[in-house]
Amino acid sequence: AFDDWTVAQFAKALGREDHYARFMERSGYWRNLFDPETGFARMRHADGSWVTPFDPIRSGGNKEYVEGNAWQLTFFVPQDVPALAEAIGRERFIERLDWGFGESDKTRFNGLNDQYWNYPVIQGNQQSMHFAFLFNWVGKPWLTQKWSREVIRAVYSGVSPDFGYSGDEDQGLMGSLAVIMKM
């Protein structure tokens, strides 16, 4: 859905309103996997029923999801955070995200032995890297400040050529994010 949103923006820049409209519609398809009862994105069977059993943290392990779990991937709707917060419920969105940071702080925002699918917020993998900024979208900028500082402390401080970042440093992504978070 996010990729479709980015294609829509490109189409709009090229003046291709027909492609823009089609890809903008597809950018909302994250809703097809969103279960309003649990407030999580979930896998479905071909008949549309939800895959069970379901545990948003334990799902994953590079079986059901690649490099993540349902908890993490639920929050990966950067193209429409207000709609995601509304779908989850604003208070549940805030509480769930705040809880996730608290849990993941115990492992320095990185899964033990790089098993990042066993934790909610994994700063060293792309789908979680923007999570601290989501609080801004729901009127809680002080939680963005709090958790950004904790991520900087745990992940981006004391980095040396011998140690490096704990995570997936794809083409300077983590280094760039460290600079942005510190600003």
Side-chain angles (χ1 to χ4, degrees), residues 61-155:
N62 281 339
K63 294 179 184 142
E64 296 92 358
Y65 304 92
V66 176
E67 293 193 12
N69 59 33
W71 197 100
Q72 297 161 0
L73 295 169
T74 294
F75 285 98
F76 193 79
V77 184
Q79 74 275 21
D80 200 353
V81 177
L84 176 64
E86 181 181 329
I88 292 174
R90 185 178 178 277
E91 290 308 312
R92 182 162 66 167
F93 180 95
I94 294 165
E95 290 168 10
R96 190 175 282 172
L97 199 54
D98 194 42
W99 171 86
F101 273 96
E103 280 299 301
S104 296
D105 192 18
K106 298 171 186 174
T107 60
R108 296 181 61 235
F109 304 102
N110 191 37
L112 298 175
N113 300 315
D114 282 331
Q115 293 184 7
Y116 37 79
W117 48 81
N118 288 331
Y119 299 89
V121 179
I122 303 301
Q123 195 60 31
N125 205 31
Q126 289 83 349
Q127 72 268 9
S128 298
M129 291 180 172
H130 69 290
F131 287 178
F133 300 99
L134 294 178
F135 293 108
N136 288 329
W137 289 89
V138 289
K140 302 286 184 179
W142 55 91
L143 288 174
T144 287
Q145 294 164 11
K146 171 187 176 180
W147 290 116
S148 291
R149 289 180 182 127
E150 288 303 307
V151 166
I152 290 166
R153 173 198 55 76
V155 179

Side-chain angles (χ1 to χ4, degrees), residues 43-52:
M43 294 180 51
R44 289 183 183 261
H45 292 289
D47 67 4
S49 62
W50 300 112
V51 172
T52 58

